[in-house]
Amino acid sequence: QPVLTQPTSLSASPGASARFTCTLRSAINVGSYRIYWYQQKPGSLPRYLLRYQSDSDKQQGSGVPSRFSGSKDASTNAGLLLISGLQSEDEADYYCAIWYTSTWVFGGGTKLTVL
Amino acid sequence: DVQLVESGGGVVQPGGSLRLSCAASGFMFDDYAMHWVRQTPGKGLEWVGLISGDADRTYYADSMKGRFTISRDNSRNSLYLQMNSLRAEDTALYYCAKDMGPGYSYGGAYYYYGLDVWGQGTTVTVSS
């Protein structure tokens, strides 16, 4: 079982919200980890979006709009990225990451299509 | 502005070696840990390893341990990745990336703040 599992694709309409999940291996408690999110548009560099540990320990990347937010779902052991008010420019790959046993681990990424 | 410029990529035969460099500017280089990350065309991000700001600590992904070595020269604001015993599966775009801090110790372990700025990458192709 991978350390981090992300759905391969997600589609949503302009103006709607998109919810990305990053599920941690069952033996790894999401509550103990900061979840990092990155966006990569086609042909571009990865961009740091935000990190989320809790509502009192979170950070927005420089210049990242507030319509990008993070949270966790303890019931599914997952980190979440929510994008509200979707725009066509949000179409990209989204990766989660954690610092786990002295290594950085990236999820496989979710491709967002804005229809 | 923070700028990271990788160089040194190219075509190398299986079993060969290559040394990548990353020139950093726009920030206090030795105040930050630095990473290497790679990406195969059409695939996801794979973390290669990191080096602490003072170069005292290095960490590697399991698949790179023993073959790849990360170093830095803080006097030159430069980061390096020495890659030995290269395999076809090492073919990728290699990025250097800046961490958001130097790292910190807590409970006997070290933690890092996360990658925030990435270079444009340099391509490595391992092929005969």
Side-chain angles (χ1 to χ4, degrees):
Chain A
Q1 185 184 16
V3 173
L4 300 176
T5 301
Q6 297 183 252
T8 54
S9 63
L10 178 64
S11 60
S13 301
S17 295
R19 182 176 179 268
F20 298 80
T21 59
C22 174
T23 304
L24 280 65
R25 181 189 290 168
S26 56
I28 307 170
N29 182 359
V30 69
S32 300
Y33 291 88
R34 285 176 167 169
I35 311 295
Y36 293 75
W37 289 95
Y38 296 87
Q39 175 194 63
Q40 187 177 31
K41 296 182 180 180
S44 295
L45 309 176
R47 176 195 184 194
Y48 169 61
L49 293 177
L50 58 89
R51 68 160 166 83
Y52 184 89
Q53 162 70 322
S54 64
D55 284 345
S56 60
D57 180 2
K58 60 184 179 181
Q59 180 195 56
Q60 202 79 351
S62 177
V64 176
S66 58
R67 59 192 186 86
F68 290 80
S69 62
S71 65
K72 290 180 181 179
D73 184 347
S75 68
T76 58
N77 205 37
L80 305 174
L81 172 68
L82 182 69
I83 309 175
S84 60
L86 274 173
Q87 303 174 3
S88 58
E89 67 200 49
D90 297 329
E91 196 160 279
D93 294 326
Y94 291 83
Y95 296 91
C96 61
I98 63 171
W99 174 245
Y100 174 67
T101 61
S102 298
T103 64
W104 279 97
V105 179
F106 286 95
T110 299
K111 183 178 184 62
L112 173 66
T113 302
V114 180
L115 299 169
Chain B
D1 282 0
V2 173
Q3 194 168 15
L4 301 170
V5 179
E6 301 91 337
S7 61
V11 180
V12 60
Q13 291 189 339
S17 298
L18 209 57
R19 188 194 197 209
L20 307 183
S21 300
C22 172
S25 61
F27 63 103
M28 293 296 293
F29 185 65
D30 52 3
D31 281 349
Y32 295 89
M34 296 292 295
H35 303 256
W36 287 98
V37 179
R38 69 185 187 183
Q39 186 170 33
T40 306
K43 297 286 181 66
L45 301 170
E46 182 178 22
W47 182 76
V48 172
L50 79 83
I51 186 167
S52 61
D54 58 10
D56 275 359
R57 291 172 301 282
T58 52
Y59 305 85
Y60 300 92
D62 286 346
S63 60
M64 326 294 175
K65 276 180 191 173
R67 298 191 302 126
F68 289 10
T69 303
I70 298 174
S71 61
R72 64 191 293 163
D73 184 341
N74 286 345
S75 68
R76 295 177 181 267
N77 287 357
S78 292
L79 174 72
Y80 305 101
L81 177 63
Q82 177 67 43
M83 302 184 294
N84 298 330
S85 303
L86 283 163
R87 309 164 181 164
E89 53 265 36
D90 295 318
T91 295
L93 178 63
Y94 285 74
Y95 296 103
C96 72
K98 170 187 160 292
D99 201 275
M100 288 182 267
Y104 61 96
S105 176
Y106 178 77
Y110 280 89
Y111 295 84
Y112 293 86
Y113 293 94
L115 301 77
D116 67 341
V117 179
W118 304 61
Q120 293 286 339
T122 187
T123 299
V124 172
T125 303
V126 183
S127 174
S128 54

